Amino acid sequence: AKAAGRAAEIELVMNIFVIGDRIPPQTQQFVGADLAALLAHDSLALLQGDTAAMAEELRRRRDEFGASYIAVNADFIEAFAPVVEVLTGQ
């Protein structure tokens, strides 16, 4: 209610805790779920596929949920770098 007139201006972040099919023990503990549970619930904390598939999924999430920023678990920075290259400027 307080942002009523500014709702379209609010930036939304989406946190990606897991990329691919490996979940570090500390991340599993923090998230409170294993990889199978994240997959079963189609969790937004999980991103899978090749670079093109991940980029497309993030575009879909932007369009569907309005996410304007993505935060990625530091354990996956290297794996996510090619996706950043694809999405730069979009």
Side-chain angles (χ1 to χ4, degrees):
K2 292 188 178 204
R6 301 175 302 118
E9 299 171 21
I10 296 174
E11 301 284 350
L12 300 175
V13 66
M14 181 170 289
N15 291 309
I16 306 295
F17 291 102
V18 179
I19 292 178
D21 58 2
R22 179 184 68 82
I23 182 168
Q26 70 275 13
T27 302
Q28 183 172 332
Q29 183 178 4
F30 177 78
V31 173
D34 62 10
L35 188 62
L38 295 176
L39 286 166
H41 294 288
D42 196 22
S43 175
L44 296 175
L46 173 64
L47 191 60
Q48 291 191 307
D50 62 15
T51 299
M54 287 191 277
E56 184 58 32
E57 175 62 12
L58 291 175
R59 286 185 202 101
R60 182 192 71 78
R61 292 178 187 186
R62 177 190 60 201
D63 294 344
E64 186 172 338
F65 302 110
S68 48
Y69 287 95
I70 304 297
V72 176
N73 181 340
D75 289 328
F76 298 100
I77 293 298
E78 294 294 322
F80 192 67
V83 180
V84 172
E85 289 181 31
V86 169
L87 293 175
T88 297
Q90 295 184 17

